[in-house]
Amino acid sequence: MSDRVNIGVLGLGSVFEKYGRNLASLREQGRVEITALHDPNSDRMAAAASQFPGASHCSTPIGVINRDDVDAVLVLTSMNEHGGLARQAFEGGKHVLVEKPMATTIHEAQALVDLGRDSDQLIVCAPHVLLSPTYREMHARLTSGAIGDVKLARALYGWSGPSWGEWFYRPGGGALFDLGVYNVTSLCGFLGSVRRVTALVGTAVKERLVNGSPMKSEADDNAQVLLDFGDEVYAAITTGFTIQKYGRAPAIELYGLSGTMNMLGDDWAPRGFEEWRNEGGCWEVYDETDPGWPWSDGVNHLVSCIEQGLPSVTRPEQAFHVLEVMLAALQSAAQGRAVEIGSEFPAPDYSRHAWPHIDPRRLHDRSS
Ligand SMILES: NC(=O)c1ccc[n+]([C@@H]2O[C@H](COP(=O)([O-])OP(=O)(O)OC[C@H]3O[C@@H](n4cnc5c(N)ncnc54)[C@H](O)[C@@H]3O)[C@@H](O)[C@H]2O)c1
């Protein structure tokens, strides 16, 4: 019992349904206990309490953070709350998992990165896309030079937008922070730090229906973002709450000087990848080895890192960089000019972690 990681949760809305499944499974494995919960919404508190009856119901976030029987705090609230709550939890001596983005202002994000530097306490930041088996396999192949130096990339993620949570359409919300964040994180994990950003970002749908009531949208919902990684490496991101459906378009396309690699599905729910190498002269298609991989896997990663005393793969410095890029996209769109990026982050280090063996099933080859 004492070896278990004790978890407190702030924010028990839509995403808690998903994280709750990971937590229930980890609890069954004897690795965690859910000890404290808080959400100002009493219906959501009641629903979570029935799922985890042993957990204390706290009336404030600090009530969760200050408990001795909480080792790690999950911040799963609306976005504007992330930076402040994550900071309070860290300063309260807890490990932290924070949903995306890590903060909505650069100052809050900087404070978190500064706190985490040289500390044994972990800050695990969503999105957890770098952890999927497909992403890890693609990353390993790219690093080994499978398609040569990547010079161009494209990324896509969008849908028609949430019908819950007014905060999605208020300042501090928006499609870039909610959706574009996945593509920016994925591309940076593959290609490194961005040097310069140019973007078109706007609010295409002026009024939204949220929980059945109309509201004026004050946040971006439509974006085309160009990223310059230096050395003539360029990427484009298409994202928005303005996309009803897309067909077979890959989530991520990577164009190397000796081949092409496409992630299939979405980067938060990959369905494998396809690879073209000039020397092979055919497409090779690989299925996702773990089709049930959950985008909430970051909580499993957090617990493994705590158990083994290891740093997380997605570094807070990368989450900071991703936020700087998104804020730069908003600034670029408002000012009609390219915006330079100041921060850099270390490349993801997968080597220190024991991962389940990846054995991608080769489905078939397609001749060109
Ligand atoms: N819904 C999704 O599909 C999805 C997927 C991945 C990540 N996310 C991210 O997860 C976060 C939450 O999204 P959601 O869809 O669950 O939103 P939601 O609106 O359904 O839930 C957010 C919850 O946070 C609570 N909350 C607000 N302030 C709080 C505070 N100070 N302390 C504790 N609780 C507080 C609200 O009462 C609400 O219940 C967002 O950052 C979102 O971008 C959402």
Side-chain angles (χ1 to χ4, degrees):
M1 183 75 186
S2 58
D3 288 344
R4 289 181 186 231
V5 178
N6 289 322
I7 306 271
V9 186
L10 304 177
L12 305 168
S14 161
V15 297
F16 181 67
E17 287 174 29
K18 188 82 170 176
Y19 278 94
R21 272 177 248 152
N22 293 72
L23 290 171
S25 164
L26 286 164
R27 189 178 57 171
E28 271 175 34
Q29 296 165 32
R31 295 170 64 195
V32 307
E33 197 52 68
I34 293 76
T35 48
L37 302 167
H38 168 69
D39 193 302
N41 180 315
S42 55
D43 291 342
R44 288 179 159 177
M45 272 297 278
S50 66
Q51 191 182 357
F52 298 105
S56 300
H57 309 181
C58 301
S59 55
T60 60
I62 204 71
V64 170
I65 291 165
N66 283 345
R67 290 185 68 92
D68 290 337
D69 63 355
V70 168
D71 304 312
V73 174
L74 312 188
V75 180
L76 309 182
T77 64
S78 35
M79 299 196 263
N80 271 333
E81 313 290 322
H82 291 175
L85 290 176
R87 180 178 182 159
Q88 280 185 62
F90 194 94
E91 288 177 339
K94 313 301 182 186
H95 301 290
V96 177
L97 179 150
V98 57
E99 252 304 330
K100 41 74 177 173
M102 73 190 303
T104 53
T105 69
I106 209 73
H107 304 291
E108 287 175 315
Q110 185 68 63
L112 269 178
V113 170
D114 290 346
L115 283 169
R117 196 173 292 123
D118 304 324
S119 168
D120 291 337
Q121 285 169 247
L122 295 167
I123 303 175
V124 172
C125 303
H128 311 299
V129 286
L130 271 59
L131 303 177
S132 79
T134 289
Y135 193 98
R136 287 188 280 116
E137 178 65 16
M138 288 178 67
H139 189 275
R141 282 167 184 256
L142 273 186
T143 310
S144 69
I147 60 167
D149 289 344
V150 173
K151 289 293 175 188
L152 283 174
R154 289 202 303 190
L156 168 68
Y157 177 39
W159 70 298
S160 56
S163 60
W164 70 94
E166 294 182 355
W167 57 267
F168 281 107
Y169 303 109
R170 295 225 167 98
L176 258 187
F177 284 178
D178 191 48
L179 308 183
V181 67
Y182 291 96
N183 287 170
V184 181
T185 304
S186 292
L187 289 172
C188 289
F190 285 135
L191 302 177
S193 303
V194 176
R195 305 273 170 81
R196 208 162 51 123
V197 178
T198 312
L200 299 172
V201 186
T203 308
V205 180
K206 312 290 184 210
E207 189 175 277
R208 294 272 175 177
L209 262 190
V210 178
N211 297 326
S213 301
M215 69 172 283
K216 183 173 174 288
S217 181
E218 300 170 79
D220 62 276
D221 65 3
N222 201 34
Q224 298 281 8
V225 182
L226 291 177
L227 306 178
D228 177 353
F229 290 85
D231 295 329
E232 286 72 43
V233 177
Y234 308 135
I237 293 174
T238 298
T239 192
F241 294 141
T242 42
I243 297 177
Q244 308 309 308
K245 285 276 178 231
Y246 34 84
R248 291 162 186 265
I252 309 283
E253 299 167 36
L254 300 168
Y255 296 100
L257 293 181
S258 62
T260 297
M261 211 184 292
N262 292 332
M263 181 185 286
L264 308 175
D266 284 308
D267 48 6
W268 55 274
R271 294 204 313 269
F273 64 97
E274 57 187 7
E275 183 182 83
W276 170 278
R277 283 180 296 122
N278 289 347
E279 63 181 31
C282 67
W283 284 99
E284 297 179 348
V285 185
Y286 296 89
D287 210 2
E288 167 61 59
T289 53
D290 180 5
W293 180 80
W295 49 258
S296 47
D297 194 33
V299 68
N300 298 53
H301 189 55
L302 169 76
V303 171
S304 296
C305 290
I306 294 172
E307 289 168 340
Q308 296 168 51
L310 290 174
S312 58
V313 166
T314 314
R315 307 292 309 141
E317 291 84 355
Q318 181 174 349
F320 176 91
H321 184 78
V322 167
L323 178 66
E324 188 185 358
V325 167
M326 295 190 296
L327 290 168
L330 292 168
Q331 187 186 348
S332 165
Q335 298 177 350
R337 65 178 182 89
V339 175
E340 305 284 330
I341 299 297
S343 66
E344 293 187 347
F345 65 94
D349 181 4
Y350 292 96
S351 66
R352 301 179 67 182
H353 297 263
W355 301 99
H357 177 60
I358 295 178
D359 184 15
R361 236 174 342 124
R362 186 163 150 179
L363 291 183
H364 58 271
D365 296 346
R366 281 188 273 141
S367 297
S368 59

